[in-house]
Amino acid sequence: MPPRSLSRPESRYLHGTTPSEQRRLAALNNLMNSRSLAALSLRGGERILELGSGLGQFAHAMARAAGPRGRVVAVERSPAQLAVARVLAARTREGTRIDWRQGDAIHPPIRPAERGRFDVAHARFLLEHLPEPLHVVRAMVRAVRPGGRVVLEDDDHDVLRLHPEPAGFDRLWRAYIALFENLGNDPYVGRRLVWLLRRAGASPRGCTWIFFGSCAGAPDFPALARNLIGVIRPVVPAMVKTNLIGSAPASAALRALRAWARRPDAAIWYSICWAEGIRPDRSGRTRNGRRGSTRTGRRD
């Protein structure tokens, strides 16, 4: 998943920013963006803060949906990804409505006049790479106006199912999850999104799944299978080095995974966790008159 904003505690992205990883991320955005945009339901004219904007493809999608009266501030840690995003923006009409900034997700580089003024703050595939994601969600709540929306999309790696399951895949996937946890990251953060919104001071308004699966014969299945292999294969050496799995079983599982991707009956069952909260006004109420949350708390 995409590398995201540096913070203290520091973001620990597993996959790097190599050219092959950049290509994987671009393909991932092509698969995901229409689904994420539909869930976001922008009406036009919104001021949007995007944390962990990566290559900027979803920032472009939001800028198009927000229209000429809208504006996107896109914050990214990686200079390499930000450079690519700016090059791509120069080729599009909506690129002029995106303000690209390098910076920190906990203390995003927004101007004093912008604080508490955004209509929407959005983050996707960011929180899973942070040891303390609550700090970032709090920053997002502070960035939006009273009544503004905070939208989180992230993974729960325990949701993934392949069928028929390739031999050795469960062991390989568990080793991948363990590597994630060894970095201090949270591979199950998706199930905690509503909890995070509540603890950050937002009033949760809804949660759902964005389906991210497919099956053999569907147009998007080859790309989804390539993405899954591309997530796992580059980090196998790290899994082996840390004794999470042996080299031989890892190699065998990867071969089985590639063979599975060619099966006519293969299916990926997976969904992205999606949750939304609203910043209450000073009285603790949201626009619909409900009393919101001002609670904070430590991670359970």
Side-chain angles (χ1 to χ4, degrees), residues 73-292:
V73 172
V75 178
E76 171 55 41
R77 173 186 71 170
S78 165
Q81 294 208 56
L82 206 55
V84 173
R86 285 173 171 147
V87 169
L88 295 175
R91 303 172 184 170
T92 64
R93 182 178 301 177
E94 71 274 1
T96 60
R97 300 194 295 273
I98 306 172
D99 187 351
W100 306 98
R101 302 181 190 176
Q102 183 179 356
D104 181 304
I106 291 179
H107 304 289
I110 56 178
R111 302 179 182 108
E114 296 171 325
R115 294 171 187 161
R117 300 293 300 275
F118 289 95
D119 299 299
V120 180
H122 175 265
R124 185 176 70 182
F125 302 142
L126 165 61
L127 304 181
E128 63 181 328
H129 300 293
L130 297 170
E132 294 292 343
L134 180 58
H135 297 321
V136 172
V137 184
R138 284 175 175 157
M140 296 172 74
V141 174
R142 289 193 298 267
V144 299
R145 60 174 173 76
R149 305 168 63 199
V150 178
V151 177
L152 309 176
E153 301 181 56
D154 229 304
D155 285 311
D156 185 329
H157 287 81
D158 199 38
V159 173
L160 178 66
R161 296 292 184 273
L162 305 185
H163 197 271
E165 185 173 292
F169 178 75
D170 183 68
R171 183 180 177 188
L172 182 67
W173 188 242
R174 293 297 160 190
Y176 174 80
I177 289 174
L179 184 63
F180 225 77
E181 291 179 302
N182 287 352
L183 289 173
N185 297 341
D186 188 351
Y188 310 113
V189 73
R191 68 186 68 173
R192 299 200 304 121
L193 296 183
V194 173
W195 184 93
L196 287 164
L197 286 166
R198 174 80 174 169
R199 293 305 184 276
S203 178
R205 190 166 77 170
C207 65
T208 190
W209 299 100
I210 297 180
F211 187 63
F212 192 44
S214 189
C215 67
D220 60 353
F221 178 75
L224 282 166
R226 285 194 299 270
N227 179 71
L228 178 59
I229 294 168
V231 164
I232 299 172
R233 181 184 50 77
V235 299
V236 165
M239 289 190 254
V240 172
K241 184 178 181 180
T242 52
N243 297 315
L244 296 172
I245 192 171
S247 178
S251 297
L254 277 175
R255 288 194 299 271
L257 182 59
R258 292 188 183 99
W260 165 88
R262 298 190 294 270
R263 289 184 62 134
D265 57 352
I268 300 175
W269 298 93
Y270 192 60
S271 292
I272 306 302
C273 302
W274 189 99
E276 176 180 0
I278 304 298
R279 177 178 176 174
D281 62 23
R282 290 184 179 180
S283 70
R285 295 185 180 274
T286 57
R287 276 186 174 179
N288 61 11
R290 294 178 183 174
R291 187 164 297 278

